[in-house]
Amino acid sequence: MKKSLFLLLIAAVSALGGLLFGYDTGVINGAQFYLTEYFQLSDALKGWVVGSALLGCFVGAIIAGPLSIKIGRKKSLIISAVFFTLSAYGSGLPELFPQTVSMLVVFRIIGGLGIGVASMNAPMYIAEIAPSNIRGRMVTYYQLAIVIGFFVVFLATYFIGSDLSVAQNIEFGWRRMFWSELIPSILFLILLFIVPKSPRWLALKGKDQDALAVLQKINGDELASEEMAHIKASLNETNNGVEVRYFSKVILGIIAIGTVLSALQQFTGINAVLYYGADIFEKALGFGKEDVLLQQILLAFVNLVFTFVAMFTVDKFGRKPLLYIGSVGMIIGFLLLGITLQQQNVGVLSLIGVLIFIASFALSMGPVVWVLLAEMFPNKIRSVAMSVAVATQWAANYVVSQSFPIVMGSETNNNATWNGSLPYYIFIAFILIIVFITYKFIPETKGKSLEEIEGFWKA
């Protein structure tokens, strides 16, 4: 097999973890109305069923670090695939399981564990195996897969539900929506057995010949030897029989920068817009229920298109320029939405603001954060640092998803000054912090090997 095709296969298989991330997160949105009717859920229980997966995501991200160090990136992804498969099957509550909300929540949490493990290991694995000149684009496949997962599950749940009556959807349609995830999850599980282990993890474990063999299949003999020498030099510098001091000032600083950037991805408000898109269109923007479906398709389409833009520009323009461009775009988008809400003049301009925000996020903070997290940490601490950063991201996701409807419904937000616009100005403040953090603390990593990037922190 040609080196380029082999590399593309590896990236595609790994990125399936991202597709399942998007699919598993999105499937509950399509099923929740029918679930609520079937189980006669209260608002509190509905929130618990929908949000329970986030608990699994947080725990999964925490255990992903030690798991990745002990058994490697590949085997960790295999475990995540098993979690996805169990969750997809169990969430549909086949007859052999108790037909209870508690049992459903258990399987949603298992799905969250799969997301947490995959969201750390998949981008890291791709970064560790990809050549430096195309690493940004390769890691962006992961974010692209997440977006495709959201898009595909939206279509899948729509087509499953549209062929059934409301009564049939309440009785068994929601089960089929969950079971539809079995197709990508089983495919992910099978294909993972044909991809190689990460050469950097192999080198960390002292398996130099195995690491070199993987690099040769990807880069050819000459480049493989050169890269192997860089990896060994990096490991020798930090080894010397000395244990890594995670609480040293330098290492804590590196982890803090990555963790703050990871959390800020959520504080842009992206998941408030995606999770509550229907509510925003119906309540804030004044669209009728019959228009909401079309607006959601439009959001998903714009998200998908501009993720492609990021994929083809991240290695050309660099990481920092995309963050700056995207931040400006996100601010403009939310300003349009915020001002039209304040003036009680919602309509097409408001929708354009939402779409500008989505497009700007999709070409910047969406993919670029995953690229930076996967490449900015030194070899010796990458697993632990990624685990902390990704777990924090899931915690931030939970904070935003729980607080957004509270702020939206508050008296302050609905007074004559804000008219429903307050959350978007809060998000703008966080986006301004992103610009500052990017300028002050984020190195430009375009075209650099992982070992060269490691050198930035020593300079």
Side-chain angles (χ1 to χ4, degrees), residues 278-393:
D279 286 343
I280 291 171
F281 288 130
E282 186 182 347
K283 295 175 184 174
L285 302 186
F287 293 107
K289 288 183 185 295
E290 69 279 0
D291 298 318
V292 166
L293 187 62
L294 180 61
Q295 315 301 338
Q296 290 284 68
I297 292 173
L298 196 54
L299 280 189
F301 180 71
V302 170
N303 201 1
L304 184 60
V305 168
F306 280 87
T307 302
F308 273 109
V309 173
M311 190 170 73
F312 291 107
T313 55
V314 68
D315 285 317
K316 185 177 181 182
F317 295 163
R319 286 57 160 156
K320 293 180 73 165
L322 284 188
L323 288 178
Y324 291 137
I325 293 167
S327 294
V328 170
M330 286 188 286
I331 290 169
I332 291 171
F334 273 156
L335 279 175
L336 276 176
L337 177 58
I339 290 169
T340 53
L341 283 169
Q342 280 182 296
Q343 295 178 345
Q344 295 185 301
N345 189 28
V346 294
V348 175
L349 203 57
S350 312
L351 176 60
I352 289 171
V354 173
L355 296 179
I356 289 174
F357 167 79
I358 290 287
S360 302
F361 177 88
L363 66 81
S364 61
M365 284 297 285
V368 175
V369 166
W370 289 115
V371 173
L372 285 168
L373 290 179
E375 65 186 6
M376 69 182 286
F377 301 120
N379 286 320
K380 289 288 286 186
I381 68 165
R382 186 171 296 120
S383 293
V384 172
M386 275 283 284
S387 183
V388 172
V390 174
T392 304
Q393 185 178 126

Side-chain angles (χ1 to χ4, degrees), residues 11 14-15 121-130 135 138-139 141-142:
S14 308
N121 278 283
M124 181 169 67
Y125 173 79
I126 297 170
E128 289 188 338
I129 213 153
R135 187 177 57 248
M138 297 286 286
V139 177
Y141 285 142
Y142 176 73

